[in-house]
Amino acid sequence: MKALSFPKSSRLLTPRDYARVFNDVQIRVPHRNFLILATPNEVNQARIGLVFSKKNLKLAVQRNRVKRRVRETFRLQPDFPALDIVVLGRRGLADIDNAVLNQLLDDLWSRLKRKHRHLTTTVSHDQTDASEGRG
């Protein structure tokens, strides 16, 4: 049963963790119903935090359903990079059924991974160019 768990080490737990992501956003994955913000971390593991307001999802049952779907699709992602991720919900999420929501989230996770790969290759390429330029 441990393989199906969602441990504390996979979650953003403190306001400081959330503030670190909000103050140093390096990757943004926008969508009509979600906004995903991410920044690399030093813990060598992806961690996720969720922000779903009553303004956008009126009923607690709606907020809880969407949060469960986000956590589950995140947990099932293979080889996720070491990022601190905050997922913000936008309007219209209550009208999306679970199958569509799962597909949408899988697409957003793959976009996040792609942007992270692009960011790391760009940063490493820039550092290589800078070191070769000196000498």
Side-chain angles (χ1 to χ4, degrees):
M1 200 64 171
K2 286 188 178 198
L4 300 178
S5 67
F6 191 70
K8 279 190 173 186
S9 61
S10 296
R11 295 180 252 164
L12 297 179
L13 299 173
T14 65
R16 187 179 197 176
D17 294 337
Y18 281 86
R20 186 172 168 273
V21 176
F22 284 121
N23 294 335
D24 185 27
V25 175
Q26 295 188 18
I27 302 171
R28 290 177 47 113
V29 181
H31 184 267
R32 187 179 62 163
N33 301 112
F34 289 101
L35 175 61
I36 298 177
L37 307 174
T39 189
N41 66 30
E42 295 81 31
V43 295
N44 295 325
Q45 176 179 346
R47 300 187 304 173
I48 189 170
L50 307 173
V51 179
F52 293 96
S53 68
K54 287 183 184 179
K55 179 180 177 183
N56 296 330
L57 290 165
K58 304 281 187 227
L59 303 176
V61 68
Q62 295 169 340
R63 291 190 299 277
N64 292 336
R65 178 183 68 90
V66 173
K67 288 192 280 188
R68 274 195 308 272
R69 295 287 93 216
V70 172
R71 282 192 300 263
E72 183 66 8
T73 58
F74 173 77
R75 186 183 66 78
L76 293 174
Q77 292 298 310
D79 65 328
F80 219 97
L83 294 170
D84 284 344
I85 303 162
V86 174
V87 179
L88 295 107
R90 293 180 171 170
R91 292 178 190 225
L93 278 172
D95 303 328
I96 300 175
D97 70 340
N98 285 348
V100 174
L101 194 57
N102 287 346
Q103 183 61 43
L104 171 65
L105 287 164
D106 287 339
D107 179 55
L108 290 172
W109 296 134
S110 64
R111 285 174 52 196
L112 177 64
K113 289 177 188 177
R114 190 168 49 247
K115 285 189 175 195
H116 178 262
R117 278 194 304 272
H118 178 71
L119 177 72
T120 55
T121 57
T122 303
V123 168
S124 64
H125 186 269
D126 290 345
Q127 289 174 348
T128 304
D129 288 348
S131 65
E132 290 174 356
R134 296 181 188 139

